[in-house]
Amino acid sequence: GILSLFTYSGMALTNLALGYLNYATRIVFKSAKIIPVMAFSVIIVGKKYSWKEWLSAAILVLGIVLFTLGDVAASPAFAPVGVLLIAAALCIDAICANFEEKNFFRCENPSTTQEVLCFASLIGTGYGLVSLFASGAWKAAVAHSMQYVQVVPMIMGFSVLGYLSVSFILSLIKYFGATEAEIVKSLRKVLSIVISFVLFPKALNWKYIAGFIAVLVSTVYTFYLKSEKRQGKGAAK
C-alpha cells in the first residue's frame, strides 16, 4: 500500500507539473533524479558515497541535461509552481526506489520483482480509480475513448511495454541497488537520442558533443570507482 502510494503520488505530481513547465524544463529536472536517489539511499538504506561518486553523478547529470537539451528547440522555463511540483515528484520517486530496495529486496525474505510489480500495480490502480471517479474525469475519458477507438489498444500495448520496462528496473534495484538502476535509466535517455540520430539524421550542435563527452567521462569514471571499491573489499578480506 505504501509503495503504491509513493508510485501513484510521483506520477500524479509529475503530470500536474507538466501543466506549468515546458518539456525542456522537465528534462532538466528528470535528468537530475540520480542526486535525490543517492541522497535518500544514504538516509533510508544507510549507504555511503565518497565525494568522487557524488562528482561522477554530477558530471552524468550535466552531460544528460546538455545532451537532451540539444534535442529540444525551446529553452527551460522555470515556473515556480511547476518547479515545486516536479521537485516533490523527484523526491517521492527517489524515496520509492530506496523504499523498494530496503523493504522488498534487502530483507530476510526478499520478494520477487513480479510480486512487487503485481501488488503495487493492483493497489495503485485502486488509487487511480478513486481519483478518476471522485474528480468526474471518467466521463471525459470514456467519451474520448469512444470517439477515438484506437486509443484503448494503444494504451494496452503501452501497458505491456511499461510492464517489461518496470520489471527490468525492479530487477536492477533488486540485484544492484536503486542508485545503479537510476544510472542505467539516465543512460537510457542518451541511448534513445543516439538511436534517433541513426533513424532520423540531424545536425550536430555543441550541446550534443559536450553532453556526450560528459556522459562518457562519468561512465568511465563510475566503472573505475566501482573497480576500486571491489579491489578495496578484496584486500580487506
Side-chain angles (χ1 to χ4, degrees):
I2 296 175
L3 175 61
S4 299
L5 183 61
F6 282 145
T7 304
Y8 180 77
S9 299
M11 292 176 63
L13 288 173
T14 299
N15 290 334
L16 283 173
L18 291 178
Y20 300 93
L21 304 174
N22 63 10
Y23 180 73
T25 312
R26 178 177 174 272
I27 285 292
V28 170
F29 277 90
K30 295 294 279 185
S31 297
K33 185 179 170 184
I34 187 174
I35 302 297
V37 168
M38 290 177 69
F40 281 106
S41 73
V42 173
I43 298 169
I44 297 173
V45 185
K47 290 186 176 180
K48 294 181 179 179
Y49 300 99
S50 67
W51 67 269
K52 294 178 182 178
E53 290 172 302
W54 286 104
L55 175 61
S56 179
I59 295 172
L60 177 62
V61 169
L62 175 63
I64 294 168
V65 168
L66 286 172
F67 203 89
T68 49
L69 286 183
D71 211 39
V72 177
S75 297
F78 297 98
V81 176
V83 169
L84 185 63
L85 288 170
I86 197 72
L90 290 182
C91 287
I92 291 173
D93 286 345
I95 293 170
C96 181
N98 286 289
F99 181 84
E100 287 171 338
E101 181 179 353
K102 181 179 180 181
N103 294 282
F104 296 107
F105 303 133
R106 299 287 182 269
C107 53
E108 188 176 346
N109 297 304
S111 305
T112 64
T113 55
Q114 290 76 18
E115 285 176 321
V116 174
L117 185 53
C118 176
F119 287 105
S121 300
L122 187 64
I123 298 171
T125 300
Y127 291 144
L129 288 174
V130 169
S131 174
L132 186 68
F133 283 101
S135 65
W138 68 272
K139 297 176 183 177
V142 171
H144 184 272
S145 298
M146 294 291 288
Q147 184 178 357
Y148 303 100
V149 292
Q150 71 273 21
V151 168
V152 174
M154 289 173 67
I155 291 174
M156 292 174 68
F158 176 77
S159 299
V160 172
L161 294 175
Y163 173 84
L164 294 173
S165 175
V166 176
S167 294
F168 283 124
I169 291 168
L170 286 175
S171 295
L172 285 170
I173 293 173
K174 180 175 182 178
Y175 296 110
F176 301 100
T179 300
E180 287 76 5
E182 194 55 44
I183 290 173
V184 172
K185 287 168 64 181
S186 297
L187 292 174
R188 182 183 61 185
K189 297 185 182 77
V190 176
L191 180 61
S192 65
I193 296 177
V194 170
I195 292 173
S196 75
F197 270 102
V198 178
L199 299 177
F200 311 102
K202 63 188 83 173
L204 283 171
N205 59 45
W206 71 269
K207 291 177 184 176
Y208 285 128
I209 298 169
F212 182 77
I213 292 171
V215 169
L216 185 62
V217 168
S218 173
T219 304
V220 172
Y221 192 41
T222 298
F223 276 109
Y224 168 75
L225 292 175
K226 294 290 182 186
S227 175
E228 197 176 55
K229 265 191 171 182
R230 284 195 295 269
Q231 289 176 359
K233 287 180 180 178
K237 290 179 181 179

